[in-house]
Amino acid sequence: MDAEAQKSFREFVANRSSTLLKTAVLLSGGDRHAAEDLLQNALIKTAGRWHRIDEPEAYVRQVLYRQQVSRWRLKWPRREVSVAEPPEGGFHDADASSAAELRVVMRGALARLTARQRTVLVLRYFEDLPEADVARLLGCSVGTVRSTTHRSLARLRTLAPELAALGRGDDQRPSSRDFSPLEVRP
């Protein structure tokens, strides 16, 4: 990598790594150390091809998703992540503590999903990708994405039923950022 490309890559990492890390944290079920490893590996792969990449962020995101897919396809047993039970109580106030509790409960629930389920939900609802794009990224059929999404949402509802009522006021519907997939009923 020449000096100009190296400077460009460093600027990209400095400007976009925090956003990419958020996606990696979601993909890894809230395990920040695993997310940092996931992102670091994606950036290493990106650095080797930097001079040929037209859209660096899209490329890094695709590497993140594919690495996550590779992790869940490993044949040896995966490490289980233990998390505390979600806090009991209501989430009726829209203050900062409710938002923090929402993040804790959501991370805990996501961590208890399989890597495949978590990845599909992150791509569909956090990244807001259509089913066809998710299927292309993960190398599976649209039907697989649909069925995995359906099972993942059902499992999320079971693991954290309090999420269904979060993110909305009296007559407000939640947005995609407020975990609207929890409201989707078959």
Side-chain angles (χ1 to χ4, degrees):
M1 185 183 300
D2 64 6
E4 185 177 322
Q6 190 174 25
K7 180 182 177 192
S8 172
F9 180 72
R10 286 181 185 202
E11 287 175 2
F12 170 77
V13 171
N15 292 332
R16 302 306 302 157
S17 63
S18 64
T19 302
L20 293 167
L21 182 60
K22 289 177 185 176
T23 300
V25 167
L26 289 172
L27 288 171
S28 63
D31 183 347
R32 186 168 175 90
H33 297 294
E36 289 169 350
D37 289 345
L38 189 66
L39 180 58
Q40 182 177 9
N41 290 336
L43 291 173
I44 288 169
K45 289 181 180 187
T46 303
R49 301 178 147 253
W50 187 253
H51 61 282
R52 293 181 266 172
I53 298 173
D54 294 328
E55 295 182 40
E57 185 163 350
Y59 184 87
V60 172
R61 287 180 184 277
Q62 188 161 8
V63 172
L64 284 172
Y65 306 144
R66 289 188 176 178
Q67 281 183 249
Q68 187 63 20
V69 168
S70 295
R71 285 184 179 186
W72 83 53
R73 289 183 177 160
L74 293 174
K75 294 193 189 281
W76 58 81
R78 291 179 278 285
R79 174 183 76 167
E80 292 290 324
V81 178
S82 299
V83 294
E85 288 297 315
E88 292 185 21
F91 294 92
H92 306 294
D93 296 332
D95 62 350
S97 65
S98 292
E101 289 180 70
L102 169 62
R103 284 191 301 273
V104 168
V105 172
M106 191 62 178
R107 280 188 185 155
L110 284 173
R112 289 183 280 172
L113 295 176
T114 67
R116 180 183 199 114
Q117 290 173 327
R118 189 171 44 249
T119 302
V120 169
L121 290 182
V122 168
L123 290 173
R124 284 287 289 130
Y125 298 105
F126 181 74
E127 296 291 334
D128 203 22
L129 294 177
E131 291 169 337
D133 289 351
V134 174
R136 183 183 46 79
L137 281 170
L138 300 180
C140 62
S141 70
V142 173
T144 300
V145 171
R146 287 180 183 157
S147 63
T148 303
T149 301
H150 177 76
R151 283 194 296 278
S152 303
L153 293 175
R155 184 149 184 235
L156 256 183
R157 283 186 206 104
T158 301
L159 294 173
E162 64 275 16
L163 288 174
L166 294 176
R168 62 178 177 213
D170 296 329
D171 51 291
Q172 253 182 320
R173 297 260 329 143
S175 72
S176 64
R177 296 287 185 221
D178 294 328
F179 311 107
S180 64
L182 297 176
E183 290 296 309
V184 177
R185 298 288 178 185

